């Protein structure tokens, strides 16, 4: 209220200070984590909707803080993006994911690898910067580019449209597919799907969550699938937790699925056990 404006201002500012302090501490710890390599990757299977066969995995980063335990990417990726720490972190992700993929390929599991890439990584210096990095890591690990996908979000395409387009074309020309992540949640513009070299749409979990209860969400998924198909794109549905969601997505014409119903993201060794159980090398 206006009468105690002075007090509430003081209260507000001390709360802000506490928040900023926390933020600065987190940033310092994150810097340290990069040097000390406190990250690990978990892998979530992406499966064929028709036969449940694992066609690939998505690499999802975790921060293993010695004091605070496992920290989820939603907590630290935004800070990494703001501070530029996403560049060394992203490079580490790429290295580790391709090293693990090369190992699985050597065992006869011909799966693909999807990696999340943020805008700042894509546009780092030159337009070829990131694709050069991809190319170098693919060659180092002797992996054919068709086994690597990158996932980007719609909002990235809005920010630096021209630069993004050049960077993505450079990546696409390597033979690496580009997935559009969390589709439908951002400022979706259909023209992006035509303008950018995108091969796959990932339908956001929020639509899958409510598709059984809300007809409007089911209809939205139906529309996204139809539009994707008419543009020659493949579709992945994410966040599938129930058998009924799975069945409906299959009947709607989704190609691939991902979600706890099939598997949670797993540490590399557990993922390997799953591959051994479910796939014939
Ligand atoms: P995302 O790319 O949309 O990843 C999907 C998220 O949904 C993951 O959360 C995954 O664990 C979760 N998920 C998958 N299936 C289900 C399900 O059936 N139910 C529920 N409740 N959740 C499910 P996670 O691992 O916490 O990652 C969060 C976000 O952090 C990712 O969202 C992605 O945007 C970002 N991220 C993760 N790893 C990286 C990375 O290496 N680089 C960058 N730039 N971002 C990353
Ligand atoms: Ca993703
Ligand atoms: Ca997603
Ligand atoms: Ca997400």
């Amino acid at each position: 209220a206006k009468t105690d404006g002075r007090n509430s201002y003081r209260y507000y500012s001390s709360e802000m200070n506490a928040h900023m302090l926390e933020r600065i501490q987190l940033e310092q710890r994150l810097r340290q984590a990069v040097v000390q390599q406190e990250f690990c990757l978990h892998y979530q299977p992406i499966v064929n909707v028709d036969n449940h066969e694992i066609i690939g995995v998505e690499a999802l980063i975790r921060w293993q803080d010695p004091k605070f335990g496992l920290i989820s990417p939603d907590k630290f990726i935004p800070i990494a993006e703001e501070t530029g720490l996403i560049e060394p972190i992203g490079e580490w992700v790429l290295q580790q994911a391709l090293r693990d993929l090369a190992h699985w390929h050597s065992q006869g599991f011909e799966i693909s690898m999807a990696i999340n890439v943020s805008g700042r990584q894509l546009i780092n210096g030159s337009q070829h910067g990131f694709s050069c990095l991809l190319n170098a890591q693919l060659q180092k690990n002797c992996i054919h580019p068709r086994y690597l996908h990158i996932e980007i979000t719609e909002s990235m395409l809005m920010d630096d449209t021209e630069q993004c387009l050049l960077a993505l074309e450079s990546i696409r020309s390597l033979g690496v597919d580009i997935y559009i992540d969390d589709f439908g949640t951002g400022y979706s513009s259909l023209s992006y799907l035509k303008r950018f070299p995108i091969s796959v749409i990932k339908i956001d979990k929020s639509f899958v969550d409510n598709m059984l209860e809300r007809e409007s969400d089911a209809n939205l998924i139906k529309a996204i699938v139809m539009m994707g198909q008419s543009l020659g794109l493949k579709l992945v549905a994410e966040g599938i937790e129930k058998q009924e969601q799975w069945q409906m997505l299959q009947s709607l014409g989704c190609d691939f699925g991902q979600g706890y119903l099939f598997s949670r993201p797993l540490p590399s060794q557990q993922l390997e056990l799953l591959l051994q159980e479910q796939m014939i090398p």
Side-chain angles (χ1 to χ4, degrees):
K2 269 184 191 142
T3 44
D4 58 55
R6 211 162 172 197
N7 283 332
S8 69
Y9 172 75
R10 231 180 256 155
Y11 174 70
Y12 175 68
S13 85
S14 74
E15 199 179 57
M16 270 234 317
N17 285 339
H19 180 76
M20 272 171 64
L21 198 67
E22 205 177 290
R23 195 22 248 265
I24 290 165
Q25 280 169 348
L26 193 60
E27 188 183 323
Q28 275 169 351
R29 274 169 46 215
L30 191 57
R31 251 172 235 289
Q32 216 172 14
V34 172
V35 177
Q36 294 170 351
Q37 306 214 334
E38 293 171 359
F39 302 104
C40 68
L41 291 178
H42 284 188
Y43 296 102
Q44 187 177 36
I46 301 175
V47 307
N48 189 322
V49 163
D50 294 326
N51 57 17
H52 293 209
E53 189 195 354
I54 301 173
I55 58 124
V57 293
E58 177 178 1
L60 295 159
I61 195 171
R62 271 94 185 94
W63 174 9
Q64 277 172 312
D65 188 285
K67 224 164 76 199
F68 298 90
L70 223 57
I71 303 173
S72 101
D74 286 330
K75 291 238 168 62
F76 68 89
I77 290 290
I79 295 174
E81 283 171 354
E82 274 176 50
T83 54
L85 286 169
I86 194 65
E87 288 191 31
I89 293 173
E91 241 179 281
W92 177 85
V93 169
L94 183 64
Q95 270 175 27
Q96 187 60 44
L98 289 186
R99 209 179 296 151
D100 286 340
L101 186 64
H103 170 67
W104 292 323
H105 281 183
S106 77
Q107 298 191 316
F109 302 117
E110 283 212 7
I111 57 169
S112 58
M113 175 67 70
I115 287 173
N116 293 285
V117 174
S118 55
R120 183 124 180 207
Q121 279 176 278
L122 203 59
I123 304 169
N124 55 347
S126 76
Q127 70 196 48
H128 296 297
F130 191 66
S131 72
C132 284
L133 212 64
L134 290 183
N135 197 27
Q137 284 299 321
L138 285 167
Q139 294 207 349
K140 186 176 163 201
N141 290 286
C142 299
I143 292 170
H144 192 283
R146 73 164 174 272
Y147 293 109
L148 177 65
H149 314 145
I150 65 155
E151 296 191 2
I152 59 163
T153 56
E154 293 160 307
S155 53
M156 276 174 52
L157 303 179
M158 302 225 0
D159 294 343
D160 264 300
T161 309
E162 268 322 300
Q163 285 216 63
C164 263
L165 183 61
L166 292 172
L168 292 176
E169 276 172 348
S170 176
I171 290 165
R172 186 64 207 102
S173 69
L174 291 177
V176 171
D177 273 341
I178 296 157
Y179 287 32
I180 191 145
D181 204 355
D182 302 346
F183 188 81
T185 58
Y187 306 89
S188 313
S189 160
L190 298 186
S191 66
Y192 288 157
L193 292 177
K194 267 188 71 183
R195 183 139 173 243
F196 293 91
I198 287 154
S199 308
V200 178
I201 293 174
K202 291 189 85 169
I203 301 170
D204 192 66
K205 176 179 178 300
S206 58
F207 301 118
V208 176
D209 278 345
N210 300 313
M211 67 181 294
L212 299 173
E213 294 80 27
R214 259 190 243 156
E215 211 186 341
S216 58
D217 280 14
N219 283 338
L220 232 143
I221 292 179
K222 202 185 285 181
I224 294 173
V225 172
M226 273 166 43
M227 177 198 60
Q229 284 174 341
S230 71
L231 292 169
L233 307 175
K234 294 274 181 204
L235 292 117
V236 184
E238 53 179 25
I240 306 173
E241 293 179 350
K242 299 182 184 136
Q243 193 66 45
E244 296 77 29
Q245 292 168 335
W246 187 280
Q247 281 159 354
M248 194 172 195
L249 287 160
Q250 183 186 16
S251 70
L252 290 179
C254 250
D255 303 285
F256 308 111
Q258 198 179 347
Y260 292 176
L261 174 69
F262 190 74
S263 170
R264 287 181 176 256
L266 302 170
S268 58
Q269 284 180 342
Q270 270 172 263
L271 191 269
E272 194 167 321
L273 289 177
L274 189 68
L275 292 175
Q276 283 163 0
E277 262 170 45
Q278 306 208 346
M279 285 182 88
I280 307 145

